[in-house]
Amino acid sequence: MALTTAGALLLSGCSASDGENSQNTATVDSLNSADRSELSSGGTLKWPVEDITENLNSHHVDGSNIDTDRIMSSMMPVIMKADPAGNVSPDPDYLSDVKVTQDSGRQTVTYTINPKARWTDGEAISYRDFQALWRAGNGKDSAYRTASQTGYDLISDVSRGASDTEVVVSFASPFGEWKSLFNPLYPASVIGTAQGFNEGYVEKVPVTAGPFKFSALDPTAKTLSVARDPAWWGERTMLDGIVFRSLEESVAGSAFANGEVDFVNIGANASVYAQATKVKDSQVLRAGAPNFRHFTLNGQGKILQDVRVRRALARAVDREVIAKSALQSLDQAAATLGSHFLFPGQEGYQDNAGEIGTFDPEAAKRELDAAGWKMDGGGRTKDGVPLKIRLVIPSDLQEAANEGKLLQTMLARVGISLEIQSVPGAQLFDKYIIPGDYDVTAFNWFGSAFPVAANQPIYAAPENGSIQLNFARVGSPEIDAAMNRASASLDSKEALQEINKADSLVWQEAAVIPLYQSPQIVVSKKSLANFGANGFASIKYQDIGFIK
């Protein structure tokens, strides 16, 4: 749904098997790497996704989804690429040079675009495309329904340099994570207006500039197909194409077993893991994943707008029990997560959960008493209103159903009644979470190499009707100030200190409750190479292929 962290991560590992067993060894990525000379030329990768969003603009609030990002990154300019350790550098297929200068405290980034880089409509990639994305994301025009303003709101100007392929980005104040910007790039010819930004990639992909190009979208079959772009100026793709297919998690294991897809992302689904690992000639690939499972609480709800109730709920949750329940059947160590921004093993990580993240049902009861919610029979009431809230979860995700039952039991012990509402997975965000029609929900935040840029849209206080990705609708000036100081700092240690200050404050709001770091476990055909559990690393689509 959004992105989260930075840095190297050394948590879990990989193994290959004939579908009988697996064993963890520490690594940051596991891709079944092979030289291009070892791969067959051609073939189609059958790639399962949870959802193919109607809006395929990954910068739009309705398209800010990990699956949308992976689909569109096969076709669009991802100008900065991350290695397995999370180190980010320019992609020479798109950028010939990047220079950063400081003059009297003013930061300027000058991009030189590869002169070969062109959109499929024949137009050269130019400063106009950078300019259009800046105007969409800087927050000055609320007509653009952007997922994030972070960084773009600090830019004072995007202008033409010595030529159309030189882009001069001037910052009003420093931005340490400037490499997170303009990624992926979209064409000004489509997103140059608010209408184009909001609607130009809805159920269509009119213009691309990547190793693959758009081929077909079939809503009935729930597939989106891409094909090798013969006009691509970089290394030729090993695959002829990719078919992205939307599958409910409950059928993903059987789809892999039947050869309908070439791999399956396990998530924390024990039944899919058990089914997939029994498939002959399969391999299990594991990596430390930059994503985490969490509960989000709607801070604008009638009951949960009271921070005391949110804190009580948080303290009533036994996060360790939930983590063990989710991970114990995946050959994966279970541990609770103490940060909204960073993961164990990363520079700067510290557990800031404090009392809010500590299981203490007696403290939760006292907090509810103080908030005026008194026990009345088997539950609590206040002014005659029962303390009853609603958990909204996707109907096709067993992990969420299990969490819901555990949460229901935990909250009942302190007098909170929890109703569980299962809804179609494809509607969870568009019809419930984004509009705010829920009290509690659970999903995964996915990460990137930029802890501030990825998280600021999630925890920044809503402003002028824009929530960005802050589905909890909770924030504070203090949180914003700490995140702003972190993003403005060009000193990594100073930035990490401010990130931890912000994180401690986010914990106090008790609106997003981290549960555990989700493992990245991919079970794939043994013949599928240069693809799997990539961790922080960017996917190199042109190198994916099948071993001869």
Side-chain angles (χ1 to χ4, degrees):
M1 298 353 310
L3 312 172
T4 41
T5 72
L9 193 59
L10 296 167
L11 291 175
S12 61
C14 72
S15 66
S17 76
D18 291 322
E20 295 179 2
N21 55 62
S22 63
Q23 180 180 357
N24 295 348
T25 54
T27 186
V28 290
D29 71 341
S30 179
L31 302 177
N32 191 28
S33 300
D35 190 85
R36 286 169 61 92
S37 63
E38 300 174 52
L39 306 182
S40 299
S41 178
T44 298
L45 175 61
K46 294 170 287 187
W47 185 321
V49 296
E50 289 185 17
D51 186 28
I52 298 174
T53 55
E54 289 186 3
N55 197 322
L56 293 162
N57 178 355
S58 59
H59 296 286
H60 191 278
V61 67
D62 293 337
S64 183
N65 172 295
I66 188 64
D67 288 330
T68 304
D69 181 72
R70 288 170 177 166
I71 291 169
M72 296 308 291
S73 292
S74 71
M75 298 181 276
M76 305 301 279
V78 179
I79 65 172
M80 295 284 175
K81 296 285 181 20
D83 69 11
N87 301 308
V88 179
S89 57
D91 184 341
D93 285 331
Y94 295 107
L95 298 174
S96 302
D97 188 40
V98 181
K99 288 188 172 68
V100 184
T101 58
Q102 290 275 344
D103 184 10
S104 301
R106 295 278 181 163
Q107 179 182 357
T108 301
V109 181
T110 302
Y111 302 85
T112 302
I113 301 168
N114 184 334
K116 296 179 181 179
R118 307 189 79 82
W119 299 104
T120 50
D121 63 3
E123 290 292 319
I125 296 177
S126 76
Y127 77 95
R128 297 179 186 87
D129 305 307
F130 287 74
Q131 198 174 65
L133 194 50
W134 164 58
R135 287 174 175 163
N138 62 21
K140 293 182 179 179
D141 187 345
S142 61
Y144 290 92
R145 297 191 61 231
T146 183
S148 173
Q149 300 168 10
T150 302
Y152 296 104
D153 58 350
L154 301 178
I155 296 172
S156 59
D157 190 38
V158 175
S159 59
R160 181 182 187 273
S163 68
D164 283 1
T165 56
E166 185 174 270
V167 190
V168 181
V169 179
S170 304
F171 288 83
S173 58
F175 182 51
E177 294 185 352
W178 60 269
K179 290 180 182 179
S180 67
L181 302 174
F182 309 108
N183 229 24
L185 201 61
Y186 279 70
S189 62
V190 180
I191 68 159
T193 65
Q195 182 176 359
F197 180 85
N198 294 333
E199 302 174 11
Y201 282 82
V202 173
E203 297 184 328
K204 58 182 178 292
V205 183
V207 181
T208 61
F212 291 95
K213 64 178 181 177
F214 176 74
S215 177
L217 178 64
D218 186 338
T220 303
K222 297 183 179 180
T223 60
L224 187 152
S225 302
V226 301
R228 178 189 293 128
D229 187 349
W232 168 244
W233 55 93
E235 278 192 305
R236 183 176 184 268
T237 63
M238 299 305 300
L239 294 169
D240 290 328
I242 303 172
V243 176
F244 298 96
R245 179 183 174 189
S246 177
L247 285 177
E248 291 187 356
E249 185 179 88
S250 58
V251 301
S254 59
F256 177 65
N258 296 333
E260 298 170 42
V261 295
D262 293 319
F263 71 93
V264 60
N265 278 302
I266 300 301
N269 192 310
S271 62
V272 173
Y273 178 73
Q275 188 173 19
T277 51
K278 292 177 182 176
V279 175
K280 185 179 180 180
D281 295 325
S282 67
Q283 58 187 348
V284 181
L285 306 168
R286 299 175 184 262
N291 70 80
F292 69 95
R293 190 77 179 167
H294 66 94
F295 289 130
T296 284
L297 282 55
N298 186 350
Q300 286 189 348
K302 290 182 180 179
I303 292 176
L304 295 178
Q305 63 183 335
D306 187 338
V307 67
R308 296 173 297 179
V309 178
R310 297 199 303 270
R311 288 172 178 166
L313 189 154
R315 300 185 79 172
V317 175
D318 191 334
R319 298 188 300 137
E320 185 174 350
V321 166
I322 292 175
K324 286 181 178 179
S325 173
L327 302 177
Q328 64 185 356
S329 299
L330 302 173
D331 302 323
Q332 194 77 25
T336 57
L337 183 65
S339 174
H340 299 79
F341 292 79
L342 300 166
F343 292 111
Q346 290 183 259
E347 183 183 0
Y349 173 84
Q350 62 186 47
D351 189 332
N352 296 310
E355 291 183 350
I356 303 301
T358 300
F359 176 55
D360 190 341
E362 294 306 314
K365 293 175 184 177
R366 292 193 296 271
E367 193 90 56
L368 291 170
D369 287 339
W373 293 95
K374 305 297 184 181
M375 287 299 297
D376 182 5
R380 292 178 181 268
T381 62
K382 181 178 181 180
D383 299 327
V385 177
L387 181 49
K388 184 177 183 179
I389 57 177
R390 179 169 52 105
L391 171 70
V392 179
I393 58 173
S395 58
D396 59 340
L397 190 62
Q398 187 60 44
E399 172 189 4
N402 295 341
E403 287 169 345
K405 292 175 183 177
L406 288 171
L407 181 63
Q408 192 175 52
T409 300
M410 293 171 186
L411 296 187
R413 291 171 182 160
V414 301
I416 300 175
S417 174
L418 181 71
E419 173 192 352
I420 301 174
Q421 180 181 2
S422 297
V423 303
Q427 298 178 6
L428 179 66
F429 284 88
D430 290 348
K431 294 192 176 181
Y432 294 92
I433 295 179
I434 294 174
D437 185 13
Y438 75 99
D439 291 313
V440 184
T441 191
F443 58 93
N444 282 28
W445 281 121
F446 283 78
S448 77
F450 306 102
V452 181
N455 286 287
Q456 199 158 13
I458 302 172
Y459 305 115
E463 186 176 3
N464 299 324
S466 173
I467 65 167
Q468 299 186 74
L469 297 177
N470 187 343
F471 301 134
R473 294 161 168 80
V474 169
S476 73
E478 292 78 16
I479 293 172
D480 289 348
M483 290 192 297
N484 288 338
R485 289 192 298 269
S487 69
S489 177
L490 302 181
D491 182 303
S492 61
K493 290 185 178 180
E494 181 180 80
L496 289 169
Q497 289 175 353
E498 295 297 338
I499 285 171
N500 278 304
K501 288 179 184 177
D503 184 48
S504 295
L505 294 168
V506 171
W507 271 106
Q508 289 301 309
E509 292 294 337
V512 176
I513 305 169
L515 298 172
Y516 55 86
Q517 180 183 16
S518 300
Q520 187 178 20
I521 306 173
V522 173
V523 182
S524 72
K525 291 181 177 179
K526 273 189 173 181
S527 58
L528 180 59
N530 299 326
F531 184 83
N534 59 300
F536 284 100
S538 300
I539 298 171
K540 193 171 183 181
Y541 290 83
Q542 53 267 54
D543 284 357
I544 302 171
F546 294 97
I547 296 172
K548 294 176 182 177

